Amino acid sequence: MANLLEAQDRNNRIVLDTTVSADRIVKIPAMNGHQGDDGRVVPFVIVQGPKQLPVNMQNKSIDLVGTDHDGRIKISGATYKPINMAGGMLDFTIPGAFYQAVGDYQQAYFRIKDSNNQVISTINVAFTTLAGADYMTTGDSRIYNGYVKQSMAGIEQEVADWVNQVKGMLSGTQGAADVARSAVQALLAAISANQVATFGGNNNFTGVNKFHGVTEIDNLQGPARQALFNYTDNKFNGLASQLDSITGRLANVLRTDSDWTRDYTLGGCLSRANNGNDFALSKYHIMQNVNLIIGRGDVKVDNDQEYNEAQIYLPWVVDNSDFAMSQIYFWDGYALPRLDITSKKLNISIRGKRHDINRLSLLIISFDR
C-alpha cells in the first residue's frame, strides 16, 4: 500500500519533489475543489534531492494526469503559467473537467517532460472533488484531454484557410466568364452597316439594329471578329488553366495513399492476434500537407502487469508535433499513444485484458514528410 505524505509549503508554494519514490503519494489539499470549479490555480515549486534544491524547468513542461472517482481519465495539457522556470516556480491551472465526479481521485500524478516530449519524472498526488451546493449537473463525468483541444484548433484553422483559398479561385473564374459574356454582347450590338439593308447588295449598318428570330451568317470578317477571337481565346485559355489547377489541387488533397495494410511491427507487451481480424492500418491524404492514419483490429496483450508499455512501428514516418489518440475496448482499459520525433515508432501506455485478445483503435493526424 502506498504511503500518504502531507504536502509541504515553501514561501506560499506547494513543494513537488521529483525524487519522491513511486510508493509515496503527496496529499495536496490546495488541489481539492468543489464540483463545477473551473480554473483553480495552485502555485508550485519543483525540487529534487535530500536538500530539495530547485529544478531548472526551462525547456521542460508539466501536466496533470488522473483517473477520477467515476474512473474517467483526465489529461490537463500544459495549463500552467511560468513564474521562474529556472527556479522551478510555476502556477498550475486545473481545468474544470477535473471537478466533475464527486469523490477522491483513484490515481493522479504530475508528469514532467523534456524538450523531446519524453516523460522524465512523475509525482503521485492525491486530491478530492467535493460536492458543490450551487453546481448544476450537466451529465456524467467524461474523459478529458486538453492536448486534443489544442491540436484540433490547429486542424480547424488549416481547413478554414484551404476553403477560403478555393472560394477565391472560384470567384475569379466567375468574374472571367462574366467579362467574356459582356464582350460578346457588346460585339453583337456593334455590328453595323448601311442604314437601309438590300437583298443582294452591299449594306453598311451605322445605327442601332435589332434581329429577331434566327440569324444566319455565311461569312463573318473584320477587325471586330478578330478582336473577339483574340479576347475570348485569352479569357477561355485562362479559365481552362484555372479549372485545371482546381482539378489538380482536388486530386492532390483527396486521395488514398494506402489501403488497409498490416505492414507494421508490434513491440513491448503487444503481439498479433492471428485470429483473422488482426490490427490493420490505412492512410488517407485529406488536404494539402495533411494526412489521416486510421488503425483498427485485434491485438494480444502478453504481460502479467496491470500497466504496460508497448510499441507499434508504423509503415510511415510521424512526429511528436502530430496528433494521435487511441482506445482499447476493455471495460477498465486505456491506451495512451506517444509519438517520437520524426520516427516510425509509436509508444503506447496500455492497459487491457491480460493474456487475451483486445480490440484496439488508433487515429493519427499527421503532416507530409
Side-chain angles (χ1 to χ4, degrees):
M1 178 178 294
N3 295 321
L4 201 61
L5 304 177
E6 290 292 335
Q8 298 181 18
D9 183 279
R10 178 189 293 179
N11 297 326
N12 295 321
R13 289 190 172 274
I14 305 300
V15 175
L16 288 181
D17 189 350
T18 61
T19 55
V20 171
S21 61
D23 62 346
R24 301 288 182 92
I25 300 176
V26 182
K27 183 179 179 181
I28 305 179
M31 292 177 63
N32 295 343
H34 286 87
Q35 189 180 29
D37 281 1
D38 190 5
R40 173 175 288 274
V41 179
V42 183
F44 288 109
V45 58
I46 316 299
V47 303
Q48 65 181 0
K51 296 183 179 180
Q52 293 194 335
L53 299 176
V55 174
N56 187 347
M57 290 292 292
Q58 292 177 320
N59 299 320
K60 298 181 181 68
S61 63
I62 184 170
D63 61 7
L64 176 63
V65 179
T67 303
D68 70 8
H69 185 269
D70 288 353
R72 301 296 189 270
I73 295 175
K74 313 286 185 177
I75 302 175
S76 68
T79 56
Y80 62 89
K81 176 183 177 182
I83 301 300
N84 180 1
M85 296 301 276
M89 290 187 290
L90 53 91
D91 289 348
F92 196 92
T93 300
I94 303 176
F98 277 75
Y99 299 111
Q100 291 178 331
V102 174
D104 295 339
Y105 262 71
Q106 299 179 21
Q107 178 190 25
Y109 56 91
F110 282 100
R111 299 185 302 190
I112 298 178
K113 300 179 182 180
D114 62 16
S115 58
N116 296 323
N117 205 35
Q118 298 297 311
V119 177
I120 58 176
S121 182
T122 58
I123 306 167
N124 294 322
V125 297
F127 65 100
T128 299
T129 299
L130 307 172
D134 299 326
Y135 180 67
M136 181 177 293
T137 301
T138 58
D140 294 337
S141 175
R142 298 182 179 181
I143 294 174
Y144 174 81
N145 190 331
Y147 293 112
V148 173
K149 296 174 65 177
Q150 297 167 10
S151 299
M152 289 308 297
I155 297 300
E156 289 173 358
Q157 187 59 49
E158 290 270 353
V159 173
D161 292 344
W162 181 79
V163 170
N164 289 334
Q165 183 180 7
V166 172
K167 284 182 178 179
M169 293 177 62
L170 292 177
S171 176
T173 302
Q174 181 63 43
D178 290 342
V179 171
R181 182 172 62 252
S182 298
V184 172
Q185 292 173 346
L187 177 65
L188 293 176
I191 296 176
S192 62
N194 294 324
Q195 292 183 355
V196 178
T198 59
F199 291 106
N202 297 322
N203 301 285
N204 183 20
F205 296 90
T206 59
V208 176
N209 301 274
K210 295 182 179 180
F211 297 87
H212 299 284
V214 178
T215 302
E216 295 184 4
I217 302 176
D218 293 335
N219 185 14
L220 181 65
Q221 62 182 0
R225 168 185 174 276
Q226 190 59 47
L228 173 64
F229 285 170
N230 293 341
Y231 186 82
T232 53
D233 280 350
N234 291 336
K235 291 300 179 182
F236 282 102
N237 285 340
L239 176 62
S241 176
Q242 292 185 36
L243 291 175
D244 289 343
S245 176
I246 293 174
T247 303
R249 285 171 179 263
L250 292 176
N252 184 51
V253 301
L254 301 174
R255 67 172 188 265
T256 301
D257 283 356
S258 177
D259 211 345
W260 291 109
T261 178
R262 293 186 171 92
D263 181 19
Y264 60 83
T265 302
L266 299 176
C269 68
L270 293 182
S271 62
R272 293 185 184 252
N274 295 322
N275 63 350
N277 189 39
D278 279 7
F279 184 76
L281 293 163
S282 288
K283 182 182 180 185
Y284 304 96
H285 193 80
I286 59 173
M287 65 182 67
Q288 185 174 5
N289 300 325
V290 180
N291 303 289
L292 188 65
I293 298 173
I294 299 174
R296 69 178 302 276
D298 293 340
V299 295
K300 186 177 182 182
V301 178
D302 294 314
N303 201 301
D304 291 324
Q305 305 299 320
E306 185 175 6
Y307 304 100
N308 309 298
E309 291 294 326
Q311 299 83 37
I312 300 178
Y313 295 88
L314 305 169
W316 313 285
V317 173
V318 293
D319 187 75
N320 63 7
S321 63
D322 296 335
F323 163 75
M325 65 182 298
S326 61
Q327 182 175 0
I328 193 164
Y329 294 87
F330 177 57
W331 74 273
D332 199 23
Y334 65 82
L336 299 177
R338 304 187 308 277
L339 297 168
D340 275 359
I341 299 176
T342 314
S343 169
K344 294 183 178 181
K345 180 181 179 182
L346 174 69
N347 299 295
I348 301 181
S349 297
I350 194 167
R351 179 184 184 186
K353 191 174 183 181
R354 288 171 281 183
H355 298 294
D356 207 340
I357 304 300
N358 292 258
R359 180 66 52 84
L360 179 68
S361 61
L362 172 67
L363 172 64
I364 300 175
I365 301 176
S366 65
F367 295 87
D368 289 341
R369 291 182 177 83

